[in-house]
Amino acid sequence: MALIADDFYIPTPTHPIVVSVADDPLSLLTSLPTLADRHAVSTRHLERLFKDDLGMSFVQWRTRRRLNRALMRIRAGATTPSAARSVGYSGSDGLVKAAGRITGLPRAVLTKNLATAIRDWREPPESFEAAAARSDSRATAAASSRT
């Protein structure tokens, strides 16, 4: 059984306010000023808390979180536009642009099959040299086991 892993790494928050925002499913759909008001802190303070706790801005965190959630939905059978809307984008265009900004992959590749393009980006194909070395080591092991 394979473990479910996020495509885009997000550190685990430790600060109570950041934990609260991260655990709130509506945080993906809510603006930073509104979230700051809910936690009785300034927008700037909440932004600093994210930067100090996670090493990334609120916007970077939310983008990664949205992409991870959308990709989970796509792999579960949702369409790309539906998955994009469910995490706060108005359609697949915003989701594809966000994925492109993080991965550097061209829009045409991401539009064709977003989930596959991201998976391939995370797990680049094995180089020829690595495949040849693996093949050579198997041949050597097989030859030595026959003697």
Side-chain angles (χ1 to χ4, degrees):
M1 183 166 132
L3 295 174
I4 297 173
D6 287 337
D7 291 282
F8 300 100
Y9 174 72
I10 301 173
T12 303
T14 57
H15 191 281
I17 292 176
V18 179
V19 169
S20 177
V21 171
D23 288 345
D24 180 1
L26 295 178
S27 65
L28 297 180
L29 309 173
T30 308
S31 70
L32 180 62
T34 301
L35 289 169
D37 286 346
R38 284 186 190 163
H39 294 338
V41 296
S42 71
T43 301
R44 179 70 186 118
H45 185 65
L46 185 56
E47 182 68 44
R48 275 194 300 268
L49 290 175
F50 266 83
K51 197 75 161 166
D52 292 346
D53 197 30
L54 302 179
M56 63 181 69
S57 71
F58 171 78
V59 171
Q60 290 170 322
W61 169 82
R62 185 174 61 189
T63 299
R64 288 170 174 262
R65 184 70 169 255
R66 282 178 168 176
L67 286 167
N68 286 335
R69 294 284 167 97
L71 287 163
M72 283 180 10
R73 287 181 169 90
I74 291 167
R75 290 183 180 122
T79 64
T80 301
S82 171
R85 285 189 301 274
S86 74
V87 297
Y89 292 105
S90 59
S92 59
D93 190 52
L95 182 66
V96 168
K97 283 181 182 177
R101 279 193 307 270
I102 291 179
T103 64
L105 293 172
R107 180 178 182 74
V109 170
L110 293 168
T111 304
K112 187 174 173 184
N113 188 330
L114 183 65
T116 300
I118 299 297
R119 185 199 65 223
D120 291 347
W121 170 77
R122 284 187 63 217
E123 300 170 5
E126 188 174 39
S127 71
F128 174 77
E129 292 82 9
R134 188 171 36 81
S135 177
D136 288 346
S137 67
R138 285 184 185 159
T140 303
S144 63
S145 68
R146 284 183 259 169
T147 59

